[in-house]
Amino acid sequence: MKTKDIIATEKKVILGTYTRPEFVISHGDGVYLFDTDGKKYLDFVSGIAVNAFGYNNKQTQAALREQSERLWHCSNLYYTQPQVELAELLVYNTFADKVFFCNSGTEAIEAAIKFARKWASAARGKENFQIITFNRSFHGRTYGALSATGQPKFWENFGPMLPGFDFAEFNDLESVKKLISAKTVAILVEPVQGEGGVYTADPEFLQGLRQLCDENNCLLILDEIQCGFGRTGTFCAYEQYGILPDMMTVAKPIAGGLPLGAVLLKDNIAAHIKPGEHGTTFGGGPLVTFVAHDILKRICQRSFLDSVKEKSQYLIEKLHELQAKVPGISSIRGKGLMIGIELKVDPGTVIKKCAEDGLLICKTGGNAVRFLPPLIVEKDHIDEALVKFENVLLTL
Ligand code: PLP
């Protein structure tokens, strides 16, 4: 099929839930993607914070091949070794005692809401189920996760949303204190709001939420689906805040692009979840968990995480230099390799022109674009991206 035929057929047969640029991705290598016409793109999206090791990663391919020759799927009716080994790695490297596997970030949020409410029905009484989340947050597209998402534009014409969510202001502890009541059983928060515009939680804010949860017998649930697992320069983002959550949702980079999500939780919550109360056909299958183990054991290495921090510092410094040099940038936000750049010009135009110039970046909330390069990006790639970004800004 020719490029134009693929695009024309897509418009006929695929539900139009995405606005896609007019090229077709064919393959990838390292931090580069290539389209069907042979054009090369430096990828600063990495599958929306998924492809930490970029494309065509030999070690990931070897893991995939090895497990594919052994077992892909046999359902959660049976024990499998890769699932257990991945859970062990997660428990060893985080606050968690137990892990529940599912297929996506949204599913992890759905499960976390259920687990919080199940815990609350025993610990706090069935009539208490309110969860505080935040304006500008994003937690997913199914009804529970969507109802928890503090962006009304995503609810429009899909109502009614699920009851039981109250929305406070991000980084405003007083707004949380005003909302917290005897009915509140949990606070759900992204340490770095990704889709909402790349806003980083202040340390005092997350520490304050931890304290409020302790004082009110509530659970602190962190959504690290986008900011977790190396993206901010530590294995989990919460490590930079001196706090521990009670529960945490993860997904995106966990299995290098294969669908896998997880809820990490403490034993006091896990104790209330009994066989048959939650489940999934595919979640945590042997193929994805085997690959995820290979990915995560590399991400959690100190030297790897230090390299993310170093490249982050370099990228942020260079972006500030660019801001001083060219018009068009209002502010630079974010942590690690999760950077939001608030623009004075139309972000859609910037994204389009960058792609024409061979650089992929993506939109986030506000008037901002987002840089989410693969975690293996090198300083040379950052320089290359910034030359392209600068050229685009200079044309607007
Ligand atoms: N939570 C956060 C913080 C996210 O960034 C996303 C996706 O962007 C989700 C939840 C939903 O994850 P998924 O798209 O894997 O369902």
Side-chain angles (χ1 to χ4, degrees):
M1 249 179 165
K2 292 217 166 72
T3 302
K4 70 174 186 4
D5 298 329
I6 298 172
I7 294 172
T9 311
E10 192 262 12
K11 294 190 195 311
K12 274 194 213 141
V13 298
I14 305 270
L15 186 67
T17 55
Y18 308 101
T19 311
R20 292 172 163 148
E22 300 287 302
F23 52 85
V24 176
I25 300 293
S26 126
H27 63 284
D29 194 32
V31 296
Y32 292 98
L33 280 168
F34 298 83
D35 73 15
T36 42
D37 297 325
K39 184 168 170 175
K40 187 176 175 184
Y41 301 86
L42 176 58
D43 176 28
F44 267 40
V45 178
S46 46
I48 322 185
V50 169
N51 301 308
F53 292 100
Y55 303 93
N56 213 7
N57 184 271
K58 297 293 169 231
Q59 194 173 321
T60 311
Q61 284 171 341
L64 187 63
R65 204 172 302 115
E66 183 184 334
Q67 185 60 29
S68 75
E69 286 167 6
R70 202 179 294 129
L71 182 71
W72 299 357
H73 173 78
C74 63
S75 97
N76 279 312
L77 294 175
Y78 307 106
Y79 294 111
T80 56
Q81 189 173 332
Q83 188 178 93
V84 173
E85 286 179 349
L86 177 61
E88 240 188 337
L89 184 145
L90 289 170
V91 164
Y92 184 76
N93 286 288
T94 68
F95 73 97
D97 299 315
K98 295 259 186 316
V99 181
F100 172 80
F101 290 114
C102 52
N103 305 287
S104 68
T106 302
E107 276 186 41
I109 293 286
E110 294 293 334
I113 294 168
K114 280 181 76 177
F115 300 161
R117 286 187 170 175
K118 187 73 203 307
W119 166 84
S121 73
R124 300 279 310 278
K126 276 193 171 56
E127 65 288 3
N128 301 315
F129 52 75
Q130 291 294 124
I131 297 176
I132 294 179
T133 84
F134 293 88
N135 289 331
R136 266 193 340 233
S137 63
F138 184 82
H139 299 294
R141 304 282 194 161
T142 57
Y143 271 105
L146 188 62
S147 305
T149 290
Q151 299 195 55
K153 68 176 183 202
F154 290 118
W155 308 335
E156 234 164 73
N157 302 321
F158 291 109
M161 292 295 118
L162 213 66
F165 297 94
D166 296 310
F167 298 92
E169 292 301 324
F170 191 70
N171 273 338
D172 178 352
L173 209 51
E174 288 309 311
S175 74
V176 185
K177 286 183 187 162
K178 278 189 197 137
L179 280 177
I180 206 158
S181 76
K183 293 202 166 301
T184 308
V185 297
I187 298 176
L188 167 64
V189 64
E190 295 160 82
V192 184
Q193 289 188 325
E195 300 303 305
V198 194
Y199 289 95
T200 304
D202 297 332
E204 313 76 55
F205 176 63
L206 274 200
Q207 287 156 9
L209 292 183
R210 177 68 273 174
Q211 196 182 338
L212 276 179
C213 285
D214 292 342
E215 288 166 1
N216 293 276
N217 193 19
C218 293
L219 302 177
L220 180 63
I221 311 171
L222 296 183
D223 180 347
E224 292 218 8
I225 287 164
Q226 187 161 150
C227 65
F229 292 164
R231 181 56 53 189
T232 66
T234 44
F235 189 55
C236 299
Y238 71 74
E239 291 166 41
Q240 296 172 50
Y241 289 88
I243 56 142
L244 298 176
D246 300 297
M247 196 150 47
M248 182 168 92
T249 54
V250 288
K252 287 186 182 281
I254 186 170
L258 298 181
L260 181 63
V263 182
L264 278 57
L265 61 164
K266 297 297 293 175
D267 267 339
N268 63 322
I269 309 166
H272 297 286
I273 315 296
K274 301 281 175 272
E277 288 186 337
H278 198 56
T280 151
T281 297
F282 294 118
L287 185 72
V288 285
T289 46
F290 190 82
V291 172
H293 190 274
D294 174 72
I295 301 265
L296 292 188
K297 78 172 188 257
R298 284 188 275 165
I299 291 184
C300 71
Q301 295 297 317
R302 168 61 69 83
S303 56
F304 184 80
L305 293 166
D306 285 347
S307 81
V308 173
K309 281 189 206 132
E310 202 190 308
K311 288 174 295 196
S312 160
Q313 211 177 345
Y314 184 74
L315 172 59
I316 294 170
E317 263 170 38
K318 292 278 161 191
L319 277 169
H320 281 293
E321 284 172 20
L322 187 62
Q323 183 183 15
K325 196 162 131 194
V326 298
I329 300 178
S330 337
S331 61
I332 296 150
R333 306 187 283 264
K335 233 185 209 322
L337 292 173
M338 184 174 177
I339 305 295
I341 303 153
E342 191 76 27
L343 297 174
K344 295 176 193 159
V345 288
D346 173 45
T349 311
V350 172
I351 292 168
K352 186 166 178 284
K353 283 186 173 289
C354 281
E356 282 164 11
D357 220 7
L359 170 67
L360 301 180
I361 55 174
C362 65
K363 178 99 180 64
T364 181
N367 204 56
V369 293
R370 200 170 10 161
F371 280 16
L372 294 165
L375 302 184
I376 54 156
V377 72
E378 297 291 343
K379 287 181 180 165
D380 288 355
H381 304 128
I382 294 174
D383 291 341
E384 185 186 336
L386 290 179
V387 167
K388 290 180 192 292
F389 191 54
E390 175 177 349
N391 286 341
V392 167
L393 289 177
L394 285 174
T395 63
L396 295 172

